[in-house]
Amino acid sequence: MDEPFAEYREVGAADPLRQGDVLEAVEPGATMWQQHLLVMTADCDFAHAKHQGRVTCVPLLAAEEYLSEMQIPKIRARLARSQVSEIRQILSKYPAPTISDCRLREWASEEEPSDIVKMLELQQADAQRAMAAFEAIRTMDTPTDNLEEGIRLLVEAQLSAPNPPKRQNAVKRVMDKLREPYAQPPGDALFLTAISPGQDEGYFAYLRHIEQIWEPDISLGPSHREVTYRRISRMRDRFTHALVQRFAMVFMSIGLPHQYEEHRDLHADLLGGKYA
């Protein structure tokens, strides 16, 4: 009979600390970045004490935490762009001062949409469209405490916007994007169904955030000394290797300055102009 699938395996107190071990904070009030950690320090560093007692880890975020923190803002930004574009199209018909996209979005959260429209002195039909767009931005940018509330506000924002979609389509637009990281994770994260016995609600290893823990502060089994973390499992080798490979790729990437990108795009545009 096949044993149930799990990305982790259990380890005993006699097993030394190794790469792929899952740690849990002893303190119940630990932040989401510190509650559950995955050890990334290489086994050879442990064996030869190259790590100087510092254990490098990345957080294992509950799926709802990861989606709220990393994906909801992306969806919000994409939906806000369409509303800012709507407002800009309306303003183009008036002798209004030039306002950046960023400022238009911020403005929606700073003042009531009705007050903004009055200041812009728009005609009635345009005023109604602009007010709906500002209201949509204001709704989607409202701070939330959990994933459910974030989803609800994103759906409501679409329904209050000019030319709103059907509710079914508004929900699908949000949920499709939230499902993407599971099957097509970004390069800096990987989904895990479970990280230890009883903890199988779904987690994302987030590889851009690094925590370092002193090795003596980690308990490998029952202990009477004061510790800040206890080991609760170990990832199976295939998943450990996949996570370490992704971790390495994140930090191998070399970011280039924004000015470079602007000059690069200018050269590309000039090339097109030569043959227009």
Side-chain angles (χ1 to χ4, degrees), residues 26-72:
V26 173
E27 172 57 51
T31 69
M32 69 177 188
W33 303 105
Q34 299 171 321
Q35 181 63 36
H36 293 103
L37 302 177
L38 180 71
V39 174
M40 304 301 288
T41 299
D43 290 351
C44 63
D45 288 350
F46 283 121
H48 300 288
K50 293 180 181 179
H51 62 309
Q52 301 297 316
R54 296 180 179 86
V55 181
T56 299
C57 306
V58 295
L60 296 168
L61 305 178
E64 288 199 2
E65 294 173 337
Y66 172 80
L67 295 174
S68 293
E69 187 75 17
M70 301 298 168
Q71 299 303 318
I72 287 289

mmCIF file of all heavy atoms in Angstrom, residues 26-72:
data_model
loop_
_atom_site.group_PDB
_atom_site.id
_atom_site.type_symbol
_atom_site.label_atom_id
_atom_site.label_comp_id
_atom_site.label_asym_id
_atom_site.label_seq_id
_atom_site.Cartn_x
_atom_site.Cartn_y
_atom_site.Cartn_z
ATOM 1 N N VAL A 26 9.209 28.951 18.976
ATOM 2 C CA VAL A 26 8.632 28.574 20.265
ATOM 3 C C VAL A 26 7.660 29.649 20.726
ATOM 4 O O VAL A 26 6.606 29.359 21.294
ATOM 5 C CB VAL A 26 9.748 28.352 21.306
ATOM 6 C CG1 VAL A 26 9.161 28.139 22.694
ATOM 7 C CG2 VAL A 26 10.634 27.173 20.892
ATOM 8 N N GLU A 27 8.014 30.908 20.470
ATOM 9 C CA GLU A 27 7.173 32.036 20.863
ATOM 10 C C GLU A 27 5.927 32.100 19.986
ATOM 11 O O GLU A 27 6.031 32.261 18.770
ATOM 12 C CB GLU A 27 7.974 33.337 20.736
ATOM 13 C CG GLU A 27 7.177 34.610 20.935
ATOM 14 C CD GLU A 27 6.488 34.661 22.271
ATOM 15 O OE1 GLU A 27 7.161 34.430 23.303
ATOM 16 O OE2 GLU A 27 5.271 34.921 22.280
ATOM 17 N N PRO A 28 4.720 31.978 20.560
ATOM 18 C CA PRO A 28 3.502 31.979 19.745
ATOM 19 C C PRO A 28 3.227 33.299 19.037
ATOM 20 O O PRO A 28 2.500 33.343 18.060
ATOM 21 C CB PRO A 28 2.390 31.656 20.760
ATOM 22 C CG PRO A 28 2.959 32.026 22.087
ATOM 23 C CD PRO A 28 4.431 31.783 21.992
ATOM 24 N N GLY A 29 3.811 34.390 19.500
ATOM 25 C CA GLY A 29 3.575 35.680 18.884
ATOM 26 C C GLY A 29 4.545 36.036 17.776
ATOM 27 O O GLY A 29 4.606 37.195 17.351
ATOM 28 N N ALA A 30 5.283 35.059 17.278
ATOM 29 C CA ALA A 30 6.267 35.321 16.221
ATOM 30 C C ALA A 30 5.569 35.826 14.965
ATOM 31 O O ALA A 30 4.433 35.452 14.665
ATOM 32 C CB ALA A 30 7.057 34.060 15.899
ATOM 33 N N THR A 31 6.249 36.692 14.211
ATOM 34 C CA THR A 31 5.683 37.213 12.972
ATOM 35 C C THR A 31 5.611 36.108 11.920
ATOM 36 O O THR A 31 6.246 35.050 12.058
ATOM 37 C CB THR A 31 6.540 38.361 12.409
ATOM 38 O OG1 THR A 31 7.795 37.833 11.957
ATOM 39 C CG2 THR A 31 6.788 39.430 13.472
ATOM 40 N N MET A 32 4.867 36.374 10.857
ATOM 41 C CA MET A 32 4.756 35.364 9.796
ATOM 42 C C MET A 32 6.106 35.085 9.154
ATOM 43 O O MET A 32 6.322 34.016 8.589
ATOM 44 C CB MET A 32 3.734 35.794 8.746
ATOM 45 C CG MET A 32 4.143 36.978 7.900
ATOM 46 S SD MET A 32 2.874 37.331 6.640
ATOM 47 C CE MET A 32 3.705 38.579 5.669
ATOM 48 N N TRP A 33 7.034 36.054 9.219
ATOM 49 C CA TRP A 33 8.360 35.873 8.624
ATOM 50 C C TRP A 33 9.247 34.990 9.489
ATOM 51 O O TRP A 33 10.288 34.514 9.029
ATOM 52 C CB TRP A 33 9.040 37.228 8.431
ATOM 53 C CG TRP A 33 8.235 38.168 7.601
ATOM 54 C CD1 TRP A 33 7.523 39.244 8.024
ATOM 55 C CD2 TRP A 33 8.030 38.107 6.183
ATOM 56 N NE1 TRP A 33 6.890 39.856 6.982
ATOM 57 C CE2 TRP A 33 7.180 39.185 5.834
ATOM 58 C CE3 TRP A 33 8.485 37.250 5.183
ATOM 59 C CZ2 TRP A 33 6.785 39.417 4.527
ATOM 60 C CZ3 TRP A 33 8.083 37.490 3.880
ATOM 61 C CH2 TRP A 33 7.252 38.558 3.559
ATOM 62 N N GLN A 34 8.841 34.753 10.727
ATOM 63 C CA GLN A 34 9.673 34.005 11.670
ATOM 64 C C GLN A 34 8.985 32.786 12.265
ATOM 65 O O GLN A 34 9.637 31.998 12.940
ATOM 66 C CB GLN A 34 10.116 34.947 12.805
ATOM 67 C CG GLN A 34 10.939 36.127 12.312
ATOM 68 C CD GLN A 34 11.189 37.159 13.396
ATOM 69 O OE1 GLN A 34 10.305 37.434 14.205
ATOM 70 N NE2 GLN A 34 12.376 37.729 13.406
ATOM 71 N N GLN A 35 7.693 32.616 12.002
ATOM 72 C CA GLN A 35 6.951 31.519 12.623
ATOM 73 C C GLN A 35 7.477 30.160 12.180
ATOM 74 O O GLN A 35 7.721 29.278 12.997
ATOM 75 C CB GLN A 35 5.460 31.641 12.279
ATOM 76 C CG GLN A 35 4.583 30.565 12.906
ATOM 77 C CD GLN A 35 4.572 30.605 14.424
ATOM 78 O OE1 GLN A 35 4.623 31.671 15.011
ATOM 79 N NE2 GLN A 35 4.545 29.448 15.052
ATOM 80 N N HIS A 36 7.642 29.966 10.892
ATOM 81 C CA HIS A 36 8.182 28.711 10.354
ATOM 82 C C HIS A 36 9.320 29.027 9.389
ATOM 83 O O HIS A 36 9.156 29.863 8.497
ATOM 84 C CB HIS A 36 7.097 27.909 9.635
ATOM 85 C CG HIS A 36 6.036 27.385 10.547
ATOM 86 N ND1 HIS A 36 4.793 27.948 10.651
ATOM 87 C CD2 HIS A 36 6.062 26.344 11.429
ATOM 88 C CE1 HIS A 36 4.078 27.289 11.550
ATOM 89 N NE2 HIS A 36 4.817 26.318 12.036
ATOM 90 N N LEU A 37 10.440 28.361 9.577
ATOM 91 C CA LEU A 37 11.626 28.621 8.765
ATOM 92 C C LEU A 37 12.151 27.328 8.155
ATOM 93 O O LEU A 37 12.016 26.249 8.745
ATOM 94 C CB LEU A 37 12.732 29.263 9.612
ATOM 95 C CG LEU A 37 12.401 30.582 10.314
ATOM 96 C CD1 LEU A 37 13.584 31.026 11.170
ATOM 97 C CD2 LEU A 37 12.056 31.665 9.298
ATOM 98 N N LEU A 38 12.771 27.474 6.989
ATOM 99 C CA LEU A 38 13.420 26.344 6.326
ATOM 100 C C LEU A 38 14.922 26.590 6.316
ATOM 101 O O LEU A 38 15.389 27.640 5.860
ATOM 102 C CB LEU A 38 12.912 26.214 4.891
ATOM 103 C CG LEU A 38 13.509 25.067 4.071
ATOM 104 C CD1 LEU A 38 12.992 23.735 4.584
ATOM 105 C CD2 LEU A 38 13.184 25.237 2.588
ATOM 106 N N VAL A 39 15.685 25.647 6.806
ATOM 107 C CA VAL A 39 17.144 25.783 6.888
ATOM 108 C C VAL A 39 17.755 25.665 5.494
ATOM 109 O O VAL A 39 17.530 24.686 4.780
ATOM 110 C CB VAL A 39 17.740 24.714 7.823
ATOM 111 C CG1 VAL A 39 19.277 24.763 7.789
ATOM 112 C CG2 VAL A 39 17.239 24.917 9.249
ATOM 113 N N MET A 40 18.565 26.681 5.112
ATOM 114 C CA MET A 40 19.232 26.685 3.814
ATOM 115 C C MET A 40 20.741 26.461 3.925
ATOM 116 O O MET A 40 21.400 26.228 2.917
ATOM 117 C CB MET A 40 18.977 28.017 3.096
ATOM 118 C CG MET A 40 17.501 28.355 2.910
ATOM 119 S SD MET A 40 16.599 27.100 1.963
ATOM 120 C CE MET A 40 17.248 27.395 0.322
ATOM 121 N N THR A 41 21.301 26.557 5.108
ATOM 122 C CA THR A 41 22.742 26.335 5.291
ATOM 123 C C THR A 41 23.121 24.943 4.786
ATOM 124 O O THR A 41 22.430 23.957 5.073
ATOM 125 C CB THR A 41 23.121 26.468 6.783
ATOM 126 O OG1 THR A 41 22.805 27.794 7.214
ATOM 127 C CG2 THR A 41 24.603 26.203 7.004
ATOM 128 N N ALA A 42 24.200 24.850 4.028
ATOM 129 C CA ALA A 42 24.604 23.586 3.414
ATOM 130 C C ALA A 42 25.090 22.590 4.454
ATOM 131 O O ALA A 42 25.670 22.958 5.478
ATOM 132 C CB ALA A 42 25.698 23.837 2.380
ATOM 133 N N ASP A 43 24.873 21.308 4.162
ATOM 134 C CA ASP A 43 25.303 20.254 5.078
ATOM 135 C C ASP A 43 26.809 20.291 5.325
ATOM 136 O O ASP A 43 27.274 20.057 6.445
ATOM 137 C CB ASP A 43 24.909 18.876 4.524
ATOM 138 C CG ASP A 43 23.401 18.649 4.575
ATOM 139 O OD1 ASP A 43 22.695 19.476 5.182
ATOM 140 O OD2 ASP A 43 22.942 17.634 4.005
ATOM 141 N N CYS A 44 27.582 20.607 4.287
ATOM 142 C CA CYS A 44 29.037 20.644 4.459
ATOM 143 C C CYS A 44 29.453 21.784 5.381
ATOM 144 O O CYS A 44 30.461 21.676 6.100
ATOM 145 C CB CYS A 44 29.740 20.754 3.110
ATOM 146 S SG CYS A 44 29.359 22.263 2.198
ATOM 147 N N ASP A 45 28.678 22.872 5.387
ATOM 148 C CA ASP A 45 28.974 23.969 6.299
ATOM 149 C C ASP A 45 28.725 23.554 7.746
ATOM 150 O O ASP A 45 29.473 23.928 8.650
ATOM 151 C CB ASP A 45 28.126 25.198 5.962
ATOM 152 C CG ASP A 45 28.574 25.877 4.677
ATOM 153 O OD1 ASP A 45 29.649 25.509 4.159
ATOM 154 O OD2 ASP A 45 27.863 26.770 4.201
ATOM 155 N N PHE A 46 27.661 22.774 7.954
ATOM 156 C CA PHE A 46 27.420 22.243 9.295
ATOM 157 C C PHE A 46 28.542 21.287 9.694
ATOM 158 O O PHE A 46 29.075 21.353 10.811
ATOM 159 C CB PHE A 46 26.083 21.497 9.350
ATOM 160 C CG PHE A 46 24.869 22.380 9.424
ATOM 161 C CD1 PHE A 46 23.887 22.314 8.453
ATOM 162 C CD2 PHE A 46 24.700 23.272 10.483
ATOM 163 C CE1 PHE A 46 22.755 23.120 8.521
ATOM 164 C CE2 PHE A 46 23.573 24.078 10.562
ATOM 165 C CZ PHE A 46 22.601 24.008 9.583
ATOM 166 N N ALA A 47 28.915 20.406 8.774
ATOM 167 C CA ALA A 47 29.915 19.371 9.087
ATOM 168 C C ALA A 47 31.268 19.973 9.436
ATOM 169 O O ALA A 47 31.976 19.465 10.311
ATOM 170 C CB ALA A 47 30.050 18.412 7.900
ATOM 171 N N HIS A 48 31.640 21.081 8.778
ATOM 172 C CA HIS A 48 32.958 21.686 9.002
ATOM 173 C C HIS A 48 32.880 23.007 9.767
ATOM 174 O O HIS A 48 33.872 23.743 9.830
ATOM 175 C CB HIS A 48 33.659 21.898 7.657
ATOM 176 C CG HIS A 48 33.872 20.627 6.886
ATOM 177 N ND1 HIS A 48 34.794 19.666 7.246
ATOM 178 C CD2 HIS A 48 33.247 20.152 5.768
ATOM 179 C CE1 HIS A 48 34.737 18.655 6.388
ATOM 180 N NE2 HIS A 48 33.812 18.925 5.483
ATOM 181 N N ALA A 49 31.693 23.287 10.329
ATOM 182 C CA ALA A 49 31.482 24.494 11.151
ATOM 183 C C ALA A 49 31.842 25.779 10.399
ATOM 184 O O ALA A 49 32.316 26.742 10.991
ATOM 185 C CB ALA A 49 32.264 24.396 12.451
ATOM 186 N N LYS A 50 31.602 25.802 9.090
ATOM 187 C CA LYS A 50 31.909 26.998 8.302
ATOM 188 C C LYS A 50 30.897 28.115 8.542
ATOM 189 O O LYS A 50 31.156 29.265 8.211
ATOM 190 C CB LYS A 50 31.934 26.650 6.813
ATOM 191 C CG LYS A 50 33.066 25.722 6.385
ATOM 192 C CD LYS A 50 32.976 25.445 4.891
ATOM 193 C CE LYS A 50 34.073 24.509 4.425
ATOM 194 N NZ LYS A 50 33.965 24.233 2.968
ATOM 195 N N HIS A 51 29.741 27.761 9.083
ATOM 196 C CA HIS A 51 28.677 28.747 9.249
ATOM 197 C C HIS A 51 28.833 29.587 10.511
ATOM 198 O O HIS A 51 28.048 30.502 10.759
ATOM 199 C CB HIS A 51 27.320 28.047 9.272
ATOM 200 C CG HIS A 51 27.145 27.079 10.402
ATOM 201 N ND1 HIS A 51 28.058 26.088 10.702
ATOM 202 C CD2 HIS A 51 26.149 26.967 11.323
ATOM 203 C CE1 HIS A 51 27.628 25.394 11.731
ATOM 204 N NE2 HIS A 51 26.478 25.912 12.135
ATOM 205 N N GLN A 52 29.867 29.279 11.317
ATOM 206 C CA GLN A 52 30.155 30.060 12.527
ATOM 207 C C GLN A 52 28.940 30.146 13.463
ATOM 208 O O GLN A 52 28.736 31.137 14.150
ATOM 209 C CB GLN A 52 30.617 31.478 12.157
ATOM 210 C CG GLN A 52 31.862 31.535 11.293
ATOM 211 C CD GLN A 52 33.093 30.948 12.005
ATOM 212 O OE1 GLN A 52 33.320 31.217 13.181
ATOM 213 N NE2 GLN A 52 33.861 30.139 11.288
ATOM 214 N N GLY A 53 28.143 29.090 13.476
ATOM 215 C CA GLY A 53 27.003 29.033 14.386
ATOM 216 C C GLY A 53 25.760 29.734 13.888
ATOM 217 O O GLY A 53 24.711 29.682 14.537
ATOM 218 N N ARG A 54 25.849 30.397 12.731
ATOM 219 C CA ARG A 54 24.686 31.101 12.177
ATOM 220 C C ARG A 54 23.984 30.202 11.162
ATOM 221 O O ARG A 54 24.586 29.769 10.187
ATOM 222 C CB ARG A 54 25.111 32.403 11.498
ATOM 223 C CG ARG A 54 25.711 33.440 12.436
ATOM 224 C CD ARG A 54 26.094 34.696 11.650
ATOM 225 N NE ARG A 54 26.656 35.725 12.501
ATOM 226 C CZ ARG A 54 27.935 35.815 12.847
ATOM 227 N NH1 ARG A 54 28.799 34.900 12.396
ATOM 228 N NH2 ARG A 54 28.360 36.784 13.621
ATOM 229 N N VAL A 55 22.716 29.963 11.386
ATOM 230 C CA VAL A 55 21.932 29.104 10.501
ATOM 231 C C VAL A 55 21.069 29.984 9.599
ATOM 232 O O VAL A 55 20.221 30.737 10.080
ATOM 233 C CB VAL A 55 21.044 28.141 11.314
ATOM 234 C CG1 VAL A 55 20.241 27.233 10.372
ATOM 235 C CG2 VAL A 55 21.903 27.309 12.261
ATOM 236 N N THR A 56 21.306 29.909 8.300
ATOM 237 C CA THR A 56 20.565 30.727 7.335
ATOM 238 C C THR A 56 19.259 30.029 6.963
ATOM 239 O O THR A 56 19.249 28.843 6.629
ATOM 240 C CB THR A 56 21.408 30.966 6.070
ATOM 241 O OG1 THR A 56 22.604 31.658 6.441
ATOM 242 C CG2 THR A 56 20.649 31.788 5.046
ATOM 243 N N CYS A 57 18.170 30.784 7.024
ATOM 244 C CA CYS A 57 16.844 30.219 6.774
ATOM 245 C C CYS A 57 16.011 31.151 5.894
ATOM 246 O O CYS A 57 16.318 32.341 5.764
ATOM 247 C CB CYS A 57 16.088 30.019 8.096
ATOM 248 S SG CYS A 57 16.965 29.048 9.343
ATOM 249 N N VAL A 58 14.964 30.579 5.305
ATOM 250 C CA VAL A 58 13.948 31.378 4.610
ATOM 251 C C VAL A 58 12.601 31.037 5.233
ATOM 252 O O VAL A 58 12.406 29.944 5.769
ATOM 253 C CB VAL A 58 13.931 31.094 3.090
ATOM 254 C CG1 VAL A 58 15.235 31.523 2.447
ATOM 255 C CG2 VAL A 58 13.639 29.620 2.805
ATOM 256 N N PRO A 59 11.645 31.967 5.178
ATOM 257 C CA PRO A 59 10.350 31.716 5.811
ATOM 258 C C PRO A 59 9.456 30.788 4.993
ATOM 259 O O PRO A 59 9.504 30.771 3.763
ATOM 260 C CB PRO A 59 9.728 33.113 5.912
ATOM 261 C CG PRO A 59 10.366 33.888 4.814
ATOM 262 C CD PRO A 59 11.756 33.347 4.665
ATOM 263 N N LEU A 60 8.660 30.022 5.717
ATOM 264 C CA LEU A 60 7.591 29.225 5.126
ATOM 265 C C LEU A 60 6.284 29.909 5.531
ATOM 266 O O LEU A 60 5.859 29.817 6.681
ATOM 267 C CB LEU A 60 7.640 27.783 5.656
ATOM 268 C CG LEU A 60 8.899 26.997 5.278
ATOM 269 C CD1 LEU A 60 8.984 25.708 6.086
ATOM 270 C CD2 LEU A 60 8.932 26.687 3.785
ATOM 271 N N LEU A 61 5.691 30.614 4.590
ATOM 272 C CA LEU A 61 4.499 31.406 4.876
ATOM 273 C C LEU A 61 3.241 30.585 4.618
ATOM 274 O O LEU A 61 3.155 29.883 3.604
ATOM 275 C CB LEU A 61 4.460 32.655 3.992
ATOM 276 C CG LEU A 61 5.687 33.581 4.046
ATOM 277 C CD1 LEU A 61 5.498 34.731 3.064
ATOM 278 C CD2 LEU A 61 5.903 34.116 5.453
ATOM 279 N N ALA A 62 2.280 30.674 5.525
ATOM 280 C CA ALA A 62 0.979 30.064 5.256
ATOM 281 C C ALA A 62 0.454 30.632 3.947
ATOM 282 O O ALA A 62 0.669 31.805 3.628
ATOM 283 C CB ALA A 62 0.018 30.371 6.397
ATOM 284 N N ALA A 63 -0.218 29.802 3.165
ATOM 285 C CA ALA A 63 -0.649 30.215 1.817
ATOM 286 C C ALA A 63 -1.437 31.516 1.844
ATOM 287 O O ALA A 63 -1.217 32.404 1.009
ATOM 288 C CB ALA A 63 -1.488 29.101 1.180
ATOM 289 N N GLU A 64 -2.348 31.672 2.806
ATOM 290 C CA GLU A 64 -3.144 32.908 2.867
ATOM 291 C C GLU A 64 -2.257 34.115 3.156
ATOM 292 O O GLU A 64 -2.489 35.202 2.627
ATOM 293 C CB GLU A 64 -4.243 32.777 3.929
ATOM 294 C CG GLU A 64 -5.365 31.837 3.514
ATOM 295 C CD GLU A 64 -6.627 32.058 4.330
ATOM 296 O OE1 GLU A 64 -6.641 32.962 5.189
ATOM 297 O OE2 GLU A 64 -7.602 31.321 4.098
ATOM 298 N N GLU A 65 -1.236 33.932 3.990
ATOM 299 C CA GLU A 65 -0.315 35.036 4.291
ATOM 300 C C GLU A 65 0.462 35.430 3.040
ATOM 301 O O GLU A 65 0.605 36.614 2.732
ATOM 302 C CB GLU A 65 0.653 34.626 5.402
ATOM 303 C CG GLU A 65 0.005 34.397 6.745
ATOM 304 C CD GLU A 65 0.963 33.825 7.766
ATOM 305 O OE1 GLU A 65 1.978 33.215 7.374
ATOM 306 O OE2 GLU A 65 0.703 33.981 8.973
ATOM 307 N N TYR A 66 0.960 34.438 2.331
ATOM 308 C CA TYR A 66 1.739 34.718 1.125
ATOM 309 C C TYR A 66 0.886 35.417 0.073
ATOM 310 O O TYR A 66 1.307 36.419 -0.531
ATOM 311 C CB TYR A 66 2.305 33.415 0.556
ATOM 312 C CG TYR A 66 2.954 33.594 -0.801
ATOM 313 C CD1 TYR A 66 4.248 34.091 -0.910
ATOM 314 C CD2 TYR A 66 2.261 33.299 -1.971
ATOM 315 C CE1 TYR A 66 4.835 34.286 -2.153
ATOM 316 C CE2 TYR A 66 2.836 33.482 -3.214
ATOM 317 C CZ TYR A 66 4.134 33.977 -3.298
ATOM 318 O OH TYR A 66 4.687 34.177 -4.528
ATOM 319 N N LEU A 67 -0.310 34.919 -0.154
ATOM 320 C CA LEU A 67 -1.172 35.512 -1.174
ATOM 321 C C LEU A 67 -1.560 36.941 -0.800
ATOM 322 O O LEU A 67 -1.605 37.830 -1.655
ATOM 323 C CB LEU A 67 -2.419 34.657 -1.368
ATOM 324 C CG LEU A 67 -2.169 33.248 -1.945
ATOM 325 C CD1 LEU A 67 -3.457 32.439 -1.963
ATOM 326 C CD2 LEU A 67 -1.562 33.310 -3.337
ATOM 327 N N SER A 68 -1.832 37.167 0.487
ATOM 328 C CA SER A 68 -2.183 38.522 0.946
ATOM 329 C C SER A 68 -1.016 39.481 0.801
ATOM 330 O O SER A 68 -1.183 40.629 0.391
ATOM 331 C CB SER A 68 -2.633 38.489 2.410
ATOM 332 O OG SER A 68 -3.842 37.792 2.552
ATOM 333 N N GLU A 69 0.174 39.012 1.138
ATOM 334 C CA GLU A 69 1.354 39.869 1.164
ATOM 335 C C GLU A 69 1.968 40.067 -0.214
ATOM 336 O O GLU A 69 2.438 41.173 -0.529
ATOM 337 C CB GLU A 69 2.407 39.253 2.100
ATOM 338 C CG GLU A 69 3.615 40.112 2.352
ATOM 339 C CD GLU A 69 3.364 41.261 3.299
ATOM 340 O OE1 GLU A 69 2.347 41.236 4.020
ATOM 341 O OE2 GLU A 69 4.190 42.190 3.326
ATOM 342 N N MET A 70 1.979 39.035 -1.044
ATOM 343 C CA MET A 70 2.716 39.081 -2.300
ATOM 344 C C MET A 70 1.851 39.175 -3.555
ATOM 345 O O MET A 70 2.280 39.758 -4.554
ATOM 346 C CB MET A 70 3.609 37.831 -2.423
ATOM 347 C CG MET A 70 4.601 37.701 -1.306
ATOM 348 S SD MET A 70 5.753 39.092 -1.283
ATOM 349 C CE MET A 70 6.527 38.835 0.307
ATOM 350 N N GLN A 71 0.672 38.589 -3.532
ATOM 351 C CA GLN A 71 -0.125 38.535 -4.754
ATOM 352 C C GLN A 71 -1.262 39.555 -4.799
ATOM 353 O O GLN A 71 -1.519 40.143 -5.861
ATOM 354 C CB GLN A 71 -0.696 37.114 -4.945
ATOM 355 C CG GLN A 71 0.382 36.047 -5.083
ATOM 356 C CD GLN A 71 1.344 36.322 -6.222
ATOM 357 O OE1 GLN A 71 0.934 36.724 -7.307
ATOM 358 N NE2 GLN A 71 2.633 36.081 -6.005
ATOM 359 N N ILE A 72 -1.934 39.778 -3.692
ATOM 360 C CA ILE A 72 -3.018 40.765 -3.667
ATOM 361 C C ILE A 72 -2.526 42.144 -4.129
ATOM 362 O O ILE A 72 -3.195 42.806 -4.945
ATOM 363 C CB ILE A 72 -3.669 40.839 -2.278
ATOM 364 C CG1 ILE A 72 -4.531 39.600 -2.019
ATOM 365 C CG2 ILE A 72 -4.505 42.110 -2.122
ATOM 366 C CD1 ILE A 72 -5.807 39.523 -2.813
#
